[in-house]
Amino acid sequence: MIKLAASDAEIQACLPVMRQLRPHLIADRFVPLVRQMQSEGFQLAMAQAENQVVAVAGFRITTNLHHGKNLYVDDLVTDAACRSQGYGEEMVAWLEAFGKVQGCVTLHLDSGCQRDQAHKFYFSQGFTIASFHFVKSLVGA
């Protein structure tokens, strides 16, 4: 079952899986951070099996000149103990369906260059490499 994490308890339940992708996250700051991000358009989807969170996706819907209305995935991770059981595929399908209902014309994400297994998964889900993503720090510069 996949749904949007709505309550503080549901958001907090996503943390152990999210930490597998974002290990810097701090437990007592996670819910307030997600709530702040939600005020900026962020949404958190959670996949559950046997009352356990097995996959999470953080995303936002935006409109820009390049893509039009789109669903951008900030975070997508399946619990390491549950990989290769179809949960990642189910989450991607759910994100696609959610985006279509919202009128989005594209689904896109960035993935770190070192994440070879994630890239293999994304290619199997029909994603293509469309661009490079450049970053420049504004702190301490």
Side-chain angles (χ1 to χ4, degrees):
M1 176 180 96
I2 300 175
K3 65 178 185 174
L4 293 174
S7 70
D8 287 356
E10 289 173 337
I11 292 168
Q12 192 68 36
C14 294
L15 179 61
V17 176
M18 185 65 81
R19 268 192 173 154
Q20 294 177 34
L21 180 65
R22 311 281 184 224
H24 65 279
L25 294 172
I26 299 168
D28 63 350
R29 296 183 185 162
F30 185 63
V31 171
L33 179 60
V34 169
R35 291 294 189 203
Q36 176 187 344
M37 293 168 62
Q38 286 174 328
S39 74
E40 299 167 356
F42 180 83
Q43 299 184 65
L44 184 61
M46 59 192 291
Q48 293 179 293
E50 298 177 19
N51 294 319
Q52 295 294 318
V53 177
V54 294
V56 296
F59 66 95
R60 55 192 79 237
I61 294 175
T62 64
T63 303
N64 57 37
L65 295 173
H66 178 68
H67 295 285
K69 191 169 185 180
N70 64 87
L71 190 151
Y72 178 79
V73 179
D74 293 81
D75 318 284
L76 176 59
V77 60
T78 299
D79 188 328
C82 301
R83 292 196 182 131
S84 299
Q85 295 181 34
Y87 299 120
E89 291 92 340
E90 289 177 20
M91 183 63 81
V92 169
W94 186 91
L95 290 164
E96 290 175 3
F98 189 90
K100 286 178 183 178
V101 167
Q102 300 299 314
C104 297
V105 295
T106 57
L107 167 65
H108 59 115
L109 55 83
D110 291 327
S111 181
C113 295
Q114 77 283 5
R115 299 189 66 226
D116 296 339
Q117 292 303 307
H119 303 160
K120 184 177 175 181
F121 170 74
Y122 298 140
F123 287 134
S124 76
Q125 297 302 302
F127 286 88
T128 60
I129 297 174
S131 64
F132 289 103
H133 180 94
F134 293 92
V135 176
K136 183 176 182 179
S137 178
L138 300 178
V139 178

